[in-house]
Amino acid sequence: MVRWFKSYGLIALMVLVVTLMHYNTAMHIHAAHGIYRRLYYFPIIIAAFRGGRTAGLATAVVVCAVYLPHAFGFIGFDPAPTLEKILEMALYVAVGLVAGVLEDRERRARRRLQDSSTSAPGSSTNSSPASDWRPSASSRPAWLTRSATPWPASRARPTCSATRPATMAPAPACSPSSARRRPG
């Protein structure tokens, strides 16, 4: 019970606060009711991220059950058109389902990646999958091992003002040894 409250207590509190605000808002304040209907998405998405499809759907169904009496005038009244309220509740369920399914897929992929990295021959238990993705230097293609220069190595970059065009900023004073061209 304590574990459940730590995981889903904030979500339940969010649903409760939004519901109380929604139920206690006067009917003539249309904008507030629209905002409160949209605030229900936050606990649904957070629940889906924490518990996957099951938690996302369960929270969406609870939100629909809590909003339903207010939507159709049993407790207070939401001034939005009926079709809008029905579609909003359908979106609650759809968002909970989609966010939950995506989170479940992410967890499965993460678990598969961890399983493959720990079961690979020669892998240690302390290595993370992120640290093992690079190939060794000997297996890299030659074009990746060369240093990257903005121009070909056959053209050397000028090092003093004697060899620079007049449009470039002045360089430090040239000495006979610095007048030679050095590769970049």
Side-chain angles (χ1 to χ4, degrees):
M1 181 69 176
V2 173
R3 183 176 175 215
W4 179 89
F5 187 74
K6 282 184 179 179
S7 296
Y8 299 104
L10 174 68
I11 295 165
L13 181 67
M14 289 171 68
V15 171
L16 179 69
V17 167
V18 171
T19 302
L20 287 175
M21 289 188 320
H22 207 177
Y23 279 26
N24 292 317
T25 301
M27 186 175 84
H28 67 276
I29 306 174
H30 297 283
H33 284 282
I35 291 169
Y36 298 149
R37 278 195 314 271
R38 293 347 177 268
L39 285 177
Y40 279 127
Y41 287 107
F42 287 105
I44 292 170
I45 292 170
I46 291 170
F49 285 167
R50 287 192 177 172
R53 180 182 60 214
T54 306
L57 260 170
T59 305
V61 168
V62 166
V63 165
C64 287
V66 167
Y67 173 61
L68 198 64
H70 185 66
F72 297 108
F74 301 116
I75 301 174
F77 187 71
D78 186 353
T82 304
L83 180 62
E84 184 179 331
K85 293 182 276 192
I86 291 171
L87 291 175
E88 194 83 45
M89 287 187 279
L91 277 175
Y92 293 154
V93 173
V95 165
L97 180 67
V98 169
V101 165
L102 290 175
E103 179 60 27
D104 286 344
R105 284 184 184 175
E106 175 70 23
R107 284 184 185 162
R108 275 195 305 269
R110 197 176 305 124
R111 197 175 312 122
R112 240 179 302 158
L113 185 62
Q114 285 177 338
D115 291 346
S116 68
S117 70
T118 57
S119 65
S123 67
S124 67
T125 57
N126 294 335
S127 68
S128 67
S131 65
D132 295 336
W133 70 270
R134 274 196 166 158
S136 65
S138 61
S139 65
R140 285 188 216 139
W143 60 274
L144 280 177
T145 57
R146 288 189 222 127
S147 64
T149 56
W151 47 78
S154 61
R155 284 186 169 173
R157 182 173 33 173
T159 58
C160 68
S161 59
T163 57
R164 290 180 174 215
T167 57
M168 294 181 85
C174 292
S175 64
S177 61
S178 67
R180 286 180 280 150
R181 292 177 177 247
R182 285 187 272 171

